[in-house]
Amino acid sequence: MLSTETEIAAPFDVAWVRLQFPALSESVNGQPAAFLDGPGGTQVPHKVILAIRDYLQHSNANTCGAYATSRRTDAVIAGARAAMADFLGCDADEIVFGPNMTTLTFALSRSIGRELGPGDEIVVTHLDHDANVSTWRSLEERGVTVRFADIQENDCTLDMQHLARQITAKTKLVAVGYASNAVGTINDVKEVVRLAHQVGALAFVDAVHYGPHGLIDVRAIDCDFLACSTYKFFGPHMGVLYGKREHLKRLQPYKVRALVNEVPNRWEMGTLNHECIAGITACVEYLADLGRHVNSKSTNRRSALLSAFQTIQAYERTLAERMLRGLLDIPGLKVYGITDLQKLANRTPTFAVRVDGHTPLELATKLGDRGFFTWDGNYYALNLTERLDVEKSGGFLRIGLVHYNTAEEVDGVVAALQAITQR
Ligand SMILES: Cc1ncc(COP(=O)(O)O)c(C=O)c1O
């Protein structure tokens, strides 16, 4: 039905990709900027910038009015829902827009919480971003018990047996990340959803970090909800929630009376960011363009997205291998997460490291001065930095790659780290 990997043109055309992103030509202190901060937010292609400008110039209005710009706005939102439905593999009326993943997830947890109380349990994980933990822990004030699934410390993967033991007949929801924004581990979310459904619990997936790295198929995963943020996959600063239609209809959101009761609109509070919604269609189109660029046989947008993510994954694994080989060669440096080169399919190219005698902040600052944009701290993966006892000493240095990064940037940041730490 869809394109195969063998039809994908090789090698990866990173020059074509980089041409689409104007920000990649920035420089710092005379050095070209290397954006190794993708897990915090990615740069956007021309297409996204133009779509946002075009919306503001030609369609700027509120929704559902009886005049041209308002009708255009309605069409822009409908187009973005269709684009995100292709991106996630669902129907357009199962797509909810909001300011970001955290806000959408709090709204959902409050709504689900209306039905929960003492004796009910929720399972979260130590690997997760706090937006997929505190949002559920907020229901503790209703008497709900929250249980934590642990990790295997040696490679920061989820301890699936421990997770399975936390899920009982009392479990009402299991919240899991698709991939860790700190250490890059990709979780077997399909299996977690299966375990949740076995006891009749709902399954919520945080796909914010996974979004730029692999094609998401909510039907195949069978999750009840999945949230992502478009600014992590080359789009504007917005969040998107997928919910199975039956849940979006049945659950009661907190909403104003005047807001319609239709799905998905009943979940969208107040006026949305219409210009960014215009940009969402454009970022999905950019990825589909990449798919068509590498596989002209892509028949529709979903199959073009599949081709895009096949080529992205193959390319990102070459970068990840290069990065790991370089990092592991630096004396005193520890990589947290999967380092086995045979298991690159189980991680994103996001690397959390610490170097003896240097704080993550010091390293990020020195790298930043040389044009390498990385992150330091916990990036809200607080449950993991606390679990690994690195929170008090500054967390990790995070180097995060996406498909617009290059082998030269990988070599450059490794060499810079080597120079900084061997002074
Ligand atoms: C894995 C993960 N989950 C959730 C979030 C929160 O997303 P948002 O900023 O859209 O609320 C982030 C943001 O960094 C993240 O990386």
Side-chain angles (χ1 to χ4, degrees), residues 14 18 315 319 401-411:
V14 71
R18 289 180 69 86
Y315 175 65
L319 294 184
L401 305 174
V402 292
H403 72 281
Y404 56 56
N405 293 122
T406 63
E408 292 71 36
E409 289 176 332
V410 171
D411 294 347

Side-chain angles (χ1 to χ4, degrees), residues 97-165:
F97 291 121
N100 49 55
M101 175 273 183
T102 308
T103 309
L104 283 166
T105 307
F106 261 119
L108 182 68
S109 75
R110 271 161 58 79
S111 158
I112 290 176
R114 285 177 138 170
E115 300 182 345
L116 303 184
D120 292 326
E121 297 188 356
I122 289 179
V123 177
V124 299
T125 91
H126 277 297
L127 201 51
D128 270 74
H129 187 284
D130 209 41
N132 200 22
V133 176
S134 285
T135 41
W136 304 111
R137 288 201 69 178
S138 67
L139 299 182
E140 285 173 329
E141 66 189 23
R142 297 183 62 89
V144 172
T145 300
V146 175
R147 294 189 178 281
F148 274 82
D150 207 359
I151 55 160
Q152 321 219 64
E153 243 188 270
N154 61 328
D155 61 359
C156 296
T157 53
L158 263 190
D159 182 339
M160 290 298 281
Q161 285 173 2
H162 188 257
L163 182 133
R165 286 200 299 280

Side-chain angles (χ1 to χ4, degrees), residues 39 100-102 129 131 181 206 208-209 229 231-232:
N100 49 55
M101 175 273 183
T102 308
H129 187 284
N181 69 316
D206 169 5
V208 172
H209 181 63
S229 310
Y231 71 96
K232 309 282 192 183

Side-chain angles (χ1 to χ4, degrees), residues 286-359:
Y286 155 72
L287 286 163
D289 282 350
L290 171 60
R292 293 177 199 115
H293 182 71
V294 297
N295 183 357
S296 56
K297 293 188 188 140
S298 303
T299 48
N300 57 32
R301 188 161 55 191
R302 178 77 180 166
S303 75
L305 291 169
L306 176 71
S307 296
F309 279 111
Q310 282 176 340
T311 194
I312 284 172
Q313 275 183 340
Y315 175 65
E316 286 186 353
R317 277 175 206 158
T318 66
L319 294 184
E321 177 169 347
R322 198 176 184 107
M323 181 70 88
L324 275 175
R325 286 189 194 281
L327 290 176
L328 293 172
D329 231 24
I330 298 179
L333 183 147
K334 176 171 176 179
V335 177
Y336 290 76
I338 295 171
T339 53
D340 183 344
L341 297 181
Q342 305 307 313
K343 294 188 178 164
L344 292 180
N346 299 340
R347 63 147 38 255
T348 65
T350 294
F351 302 93
V353 306
R354 287 173 62 88
V355 188
D356 291 341
H358 301 267
T359 66

